[in-house]
Each structure stands twice: as C-alpha cells, then as structure tokens.
Amino acid sequence: MKLIKLFFIAAGLTLTANTVNAQQKIGSVNTADVFDSMTEVKTAGEAIDNLTKTKQTEIDKLINEYQTKLKVAQDKEKTFNETNKEALTKELIAAQTELDNLGKKIEEARAQAAKEISAKQGELFTPIQQKIKTAIFAVSKERNLSYVFDIAAQGSNLVYTDESEDITAQVKTKLGASATASKPAAGKAKK
C-alpha cells in the first residue's frame, strides 16, 4: 500500500514538473529594428557623421599639403643638371625628409581620427544599447516570458518562432520609439 502511494506521489510530482515546464513562455525581439527606430540612434549617428567629416577634412588638408610639396619637389627634379647638381640635391633631400614626415603625420592623423570616432561611438551608443536591454527585460517580466531570443542576431540557432511571442513592438513602445511595422525575421521555418 505504501509503495502504491509512493508511486502516485512520484507520478504527481513528475506531472506537476512537466506542467510547470510546459507553461514557460518564449518570446522574440528584433533588436536591430528597435535600435533603428529610436530617435537617439539617429541623433548619435549624425554626431558620428559630423565628427567623421571634420576629421576627414583635417586629413584632406594634410594630403593636399603633401601633394603640393611633392609636385614642387618633382618640378625641381626636372630642372636637375650638372651646374645645379649640388644645391638641388640638398633641396631634394630636404624635400624628401619633409614629405616623409608629412606622410607619417597623415598616418598618425588617420589613426587618431579612427580612435576618436570609435570612442565617440562607444560613448553615444552604449547607453542606448543599455536602455534597449533594460526595456527588453521590463517587457519580458511584464509578459511573464521565460526566454527571449533576438531574431536579429546573426548565427542564432532559433529556427522556429511561430509559438513565441514577438515583443519588438512593446519594447519600442516602452522606449517611445517609432512603432512602424517590424521587419520580418530571417525566416520562420517549421521544424
């Protein structure tokens, strides 16, 4: 008799555990769509574009200076003859040194510009990404979701999403972002 009771208790626990597992809800979100719909992203993108243009203008000035000095040196080289050989050789060596230094300055300016642009991107986009993450967590808790997959992520192993709940629109609403229609996922294939 005790063995039968123990069997029913074990069976009841197993069924209860399966019922709890079956009630876990899965959702999906398209973070790329959410990100693209936020006005802060557009503003940050414009700031990055302006910084990039400013840095490119500075580099272009250095390049133009380099090209001008190179042309002057090449023109001097064309006048090379035996009578001005010694003086012109010294001038050309000095011009080559100046061109080498200017070339290094251009490369340093490019490296510094890339570093500044990258730092600015991190400064502007990291808080936006954190804000999106916080909104996803809030919507997930509100909707009692156990798991949420990012359908915008490359290499995702999510193959079937019909039974999941797409919370992209709710995340956009929570962030006050544009609620335009969500871009379709990479393809909803059935197992």
Side-chain angles (χ1 to χ4, degrees):
M1 193 63 158
K2 285 184 179 182
L3 188 56
I4 293 174
K5 284 183 183 179
L6 187 59
F7 173 75
F8 281 115
I9 291 173
L13 289 174
T14 303
L15 289 174
T16 304
N18 287 340
T19 303
V20 170
N21 284 337
Q23 292 176 0
Q24 290 183 338
K25 289 176 66 180
I26 297 173
S28 63
V29 65
N30 186 334
T31 56
D33 188 24
V34 172
F35 191 79
D36 291 342
S37 69
M38 296 183 65
T39 56
E40 293 110 312
V41 172
K42 291 172 182 77
T43 304
E46 289 169 1
I48 297 298
D49 288 345
N50 290 337
L51 178 61
T52 302
K53 288 175 186 172
T54 300
K55 294 299 176 184
Q56 187 59 49
T57 301
E58 293 171 7
I59 292 168
D60 287 345
K61 285 180 184 176
L62 290 172
I63 291 172
N64 287 337
E65 182 182 349
Y66 181 91
Q67 290 172 340
T68 302
K69 290 184 180 200
L70 178 62
K71 182 163 179 16
V72 168
Q74 288 172 338
D75 290 345
K76 280 185 182 181
E77 190 176 31
K78 289 177 185 175
T79 65
F80 190 81
N81 58 39
E82 283 301 316
T83 57
N84 66 1
K85 177 180 177 181
E86 191 174 318
L88 198 53
T89 301
K90 287 180 184 178
E91 285 182 43
L92 291 174
I93 289 172
Q96 184 61 46
T97 302
E98 189 177 4
L99 287 170
D100 289 345
N101 290 337
L102 200 49
K104 288 177 186 174
K105 191 174 179 181
I106 291 169
E107 290 307 311
E108 289 170 0
R110 284 182 176 151
Q112 183 63 30
K115 186 176 178 182
E116 288 179 32
I117 291 168
S118 179
K120 191 67 165 178
Q121 286 173 327
E123 174 188 325
L124 295 175
F125 289 124
T126 301
I128 296 170
Q129 291 168 332
Q130 185 58 45
K131 187 176 179 180
I132 292 170
K133 184 177 178 181
T134 301
I136 290 170
F137 286 1
V139 171
S140 298
K141 287 188 183 283
E142 288 169 9
R143 301 186 75 81
N144 293 319
L145 299 174
S146 300
Y147 303 98
V148 175
F149 293 95
D150 183 1
I151 58 176
Q154 294 295 332
S156 173
N157 60 4
L158 182 62
V159 180
Y160 183 76
T161 62
D162 279 350
E163 295 301 316
S164 71
E165 183 174 349
D166 187 350
I167 63 170
T168 303
Q170 290 83 6
V171 171
K172 285 181 179 181
T173 301
K174 183 157 289 290
L175 292 168
S178 169
T180 57
S182 217
K183 297 172 190 165
K188 293 183 179 181
K190 294 186 180 182
K191 289 183 179 179

